[in-house]
Amino acid sequence: MTKHLLYIPLLLLAFTYTSCKKVSEDIQRDAIITDSVDFEIPILSEIDSAYTLSDVKLPLNPGAAISAQLPDFNESNIKSIKLTKMSLGLFLFKGAKDKDSIDVINNFGNFQSIRFTIPGTPAVGSSTASPLLIASAIINSTSVSGALSMTPDTELELKPYVGANAANSTVTIRTRKVTNKAVKVRVRASFTVTVSK
């Protein structure tokens, strides 16, 4: 009988541990948020040159999206934000016979590469910081293209760079051919936002 009584505290301890673990799991959620932002690439007049565009906003407004997907959470509950997918698309124009078209002279086939970076945080004792790469694409094809998939850094923590502390990203484009007019681009990005209470 006393032998069985010794098992009771062990069973209670195991039950308490699994219950606490379950509660912890119940108050953490992931939300997949998709957002977009538009920017313009100006006329690029030199071949094999790198052009830098500053002040392109990160496409994420987490507060409203979190409240819509997870009504019990808000922006103050965000623990982590990671980029999971990014793509670029050119705005189409009305071409021959009123069909939506991609400009054959000004498109992603004109570029060698595109990189999105954000300002990093300086290391302790330093006044400068290296930019953080958030997504990039190397464009090997010279074919006319109006869509481009970027390779994101899915491990980079973006929480300090969005919302109230939103950082502008810098877009660096390396040209393959010159362009003769500005091109409007839409960035579509998906983020995994982890929230917990």
Side-chain angles (χ1 to χ4, degrees), residues 44 46-48 104-105 109-111 142 175-179:
L44 306 177
E46 293 183 32
I47 295 174
D48 201 29
V104 295
I105 298 172
N110 291 54
F111 311 137
T142 59
T175 56
R176 174 179 290 117
K177 299 183 221 172
V178 298
T179 60

Side-chain angles (χ1 to χ4, degrees), residues 96-192:
K97 298 183 183 176
D98 231 14
K99 291 184 178 179
D100 288 338
S101 298
I102 296 171
D103 188 332
V104 295
I105 298 172
N106 303 289
N107 59 72
F108 291 129
N110 291 54
F111 311 137
Q112 294 179 40
S113 63
I114 299 179
R115 298 168 39 94
F116 282 75
T117 58
I118 52 176
T121 305
V124 176
S126 174
S127 61
T128 59
S130 297
L132 302 172
L133 178 66
I134 56 174
S136 64
I138 294 174
I139 307 162
N140 294 317
S141 175
T142 59
S143 300
V144 173
S145 173
L148 183 63
S149 292
M150 305 291 288
T151 303
D153 181 346
T154 57
E155 297 300 315
L156 181 62
E157 180 56 62
L158 294 174
K159 182 184 173 195
Y161 305 102
V162 298
N165 303 318
N168 288 335
S169 60
T170 299
V171 180
T172 304
I173 302 164
R174 181 163 291 282
T175 56
R176 174 179 290 117
K177 299 183 221 172
V178 298
T179 60
N180 64 10
K181 69 178 181 182
V183 178
K184 288 189 177 182
V185 179
R186 174 160 291 159
V187 180
R188 294 187 197 285
S190 295
F191 300 84
T192 298

